Amino acid sequence: MLILGIESSCDETAASIVADCRTIRSSVISTQIEEHRKYGGVVPEIASRRHCENILGVVKQALADASVTLEDIDAVAVTFAPGLIGALLVGVNFAKGLALAAGKPLVPVHHIAGHIATNYLTYPGLEPPYLCLVASGGHSHIIEVLSYTKFRVVGRTRDDAAGECFDKCARAMGFPYPGGVHIDNAAKTGDPKAFRLPHPTVEGSEFDLSFSGLKTSVINMLHNAQQKGTEINRNDLAASLQYTISDILTEKTISAAKALGYKKVALAGGVSANTGVRAALSEACERNGFEFYMPEKKLCGDNGAMIACQGSYNFLAGITADESLNAVATLSMEDI
Ligand code: KG4
Ligand code: ZN
């Protein structure tokens, strides 16, 4: 079985061919980061226009790299939710036209389910059920992966996503967009205990997360120092922030795994590339006797292979869409 996966929910136009659910035959990613960097974040209209310009070339390249033609593929999978609406519409509309022209089924994929699927591409033997922490620029969820296509969200952020917290603090510290990776690099030579940063408490749901208080506290600290003309060691602050975010994510994920009886824990999303998060969750799982899974670094950010992989499982489960498929900016995983 060969599935073409198309991703355009944010600032990466990506396409990939995946064989038999888990073998990547090609993966092409055209990133717009350089262009959005000058604005300090993703500009939605620019993102949509670049997807429009690049999508055909990216898909042609993915087919060529896998040495296949449209006739060889079994279905066209596409991210239809959640994400920037104008960006999603480009991918959805393109995939619809392609599926119609080639006479192939159209398979809708939820972006977060795609991130979770990066673990199937990394570990050939991994099977549901397990608990997954998905942390990215737009989402921070603790999810029960009940089967390849059924999910239950047990915790979510009440405000900012973990990646957003990394990026906004990084920006205040003078790092370019997206700042998560710069915090990661700076943290390598910093002292994680140099600054005591707040751990949020969330009233109500036990496994919900919150990052806005942490973000505000870092930004205020930087502004105060600036006003007083004092120096803050950027590497120490980066290390302290990374340590705090890793600790919050790990603590909530481990307590959810214990409470819900999971012995298998996975990590996914753009923030899963973070050295501190990877180490903290991996060590906590080892201490608690849990199996731990995390995607290869090159699969952590948005890519087409994750959509083709999850698209394969959706297709096998009979999840296809007709010509009325639309893009959806916000959609819970439980509603797919
Ligand atoms: O999954 P992703 O590519 O896009 C969304 O679906 O949001 O995630 C992007 C996020 C950004 O916030 C980026 O700064 C963060 O992932 N990120 C990192 C690292 N690499 C990417 N955050 C911390 N450390 C990293 N090494
Ligand atoms: Zn993503």
Side-chain angles (χ1 to χ4, degrees):
M1 185 177 66
L2 285 177
I3 303 292
L4 165 65
I6 298 174
E7 156 65 33
S8 74
S9 67
C10 191
D11 57 352
E12 261 94 35
T13 320
S16 160
I17 304 289
V18 164
D20 302 324
C21 300
R22 299 196 187 206
T23 306
I24 302 174
R25 294 275 298 272
S26 67
S27 181
V28 179
I29 304 173
S30 163
T31 183
Q32 309 169 2
I33 282 180
E34 281 306 325
E35 196 164 359
H36 295 290
R37 185 166 284 152
K38 37 183 188 283
Y39 304 101
V42 178
V43 181
E45 185 181 332
I46 294 177
S48 310
R49 289 176 182 278
R50 293 299 163 265
H51 288 310
C52 193
E53 284 165 14
N54 295 333
I55 197 158
L56 179 56
V58 166
V59 170
K60 274 169 132 177
Q61 192 63 50
L63 290 165
D65 288 356
S67 304
V68 297
T69 65
L70 272 181
E71 278 103 85
D72 301 319
I73 61 159
D74 292 281
V76 179
V78 64
T79 308
F80 78 106
L84 299 172
I85 193 67
L88 287 166
L89 280 167
V90 176
V92 167
N93 238 339
F94 183 87
K96 270 197 209 185
L98 201 63
L100 176 74
K104 304 289 176 180
L106 179 65
V107 179
V109 176
H110 191 284
H111 184 77
I112 300 177
H115 273 301
I116 294 171
T118 55
N119 283 293
Y120 302 133
L121 294 167
T122 306
Y123 302 93
L126 174 64
E127 282 177 20
Y130 57 91
L131 191 75
C132 189
L133 166 68
V134 184
S136 71
H139 319 277
S140 293
H141 285 1
I142 298 171
I143 296 166
E144 284 186 84
V145 184
L146 304 168
S147 74
Y148 287 110
T149 54
K150 292 240 171 328
F151 308 91
R152 196 165 84 89
V153 180
V154 293
R156 68 185 82 221
T157 181
R158 294 287 183 92
D159 38 59
D160 295 347
E164 206 176 338
C165 183
F166 268 120
D167 294 345
K168 300 243 168 90
C169 293
R171 187 179 179 171
M173 288 159 77
F175 290 115
Y177 173 84
V181 67
H182 298 286
I183 298 273
D184 199 343
N185 290 335
K188 291 190 169 76
T189 48
D191 173 8
K193 299 282 166 66
F195 298 96
R196 225 171 204 290
L197 300 173
H199 280 237
T201 46
V202 183
E203 299 287 322
S205 172
E206 218 181 328
F207 310 125
D208 277 357
L209 300 146
S210 163
F211 291 102
S212 71
L214 173 59
K215 173 192 73 183
T216 308
S217 133
V218 168
I219 293 173
N220 285 347
M221 190 186 285
L222 288 159
H223 285 168
N224 286 341
Q226 208 177 26
Q227 275 163 8
K228 287 186 195 140
T230 53
E231 275 283 313
I232 282 193
N233 182 309
R234 213 159 69 146
N235 294 354
D236 283 350
L237 185 56
S240 303
L241 175 66
Q242 180 167 298
Y243 169 79
T244 308
I245 293 177
S246 305
D247 203 39
I248 294 167
L249 291 172
T250 300
E251 196 251 321
K252 290 281 178 179
T253 308
I254 296 293
S255 57
K258 282 183 182 162
L260 299 163
Y262 283 94
K263 294 257 178 234
K264 262 155 87 170
V265 173
L267 174 66
V271 174
S272 65
N274 183 264
T275 317
V277 175
R278 289 169 87 87
L281 195 55
S282 154
E283 280 156 26
C285 284
E286 200 176 325
R287 262 198 315 280
N288 285 281
F290 300 161
E291 285 172 34
F292 178 62
Y293 301 87
M294 59 186 167
E296 263 183 274
K297 282 222 175 175
K298 68 171 199 278
L299 292 171
C300 293
D302 292 346
N303 62 82
M306 69 189 206
I307 304 305
C309 173
Q310 183 59 34
S312 306
Y313 287 107
N314 286 0
F315 183 53
L316 288 176
I319 301 168
T320 55
D322 62 19
E323 64 261 23
S324 67
L325 178 69
N326 210 337
V328 186
T330 312
L331 182 74
S332 165
M333 295 192 77
E334 289 163 358
D335 297 334
I336 49 176

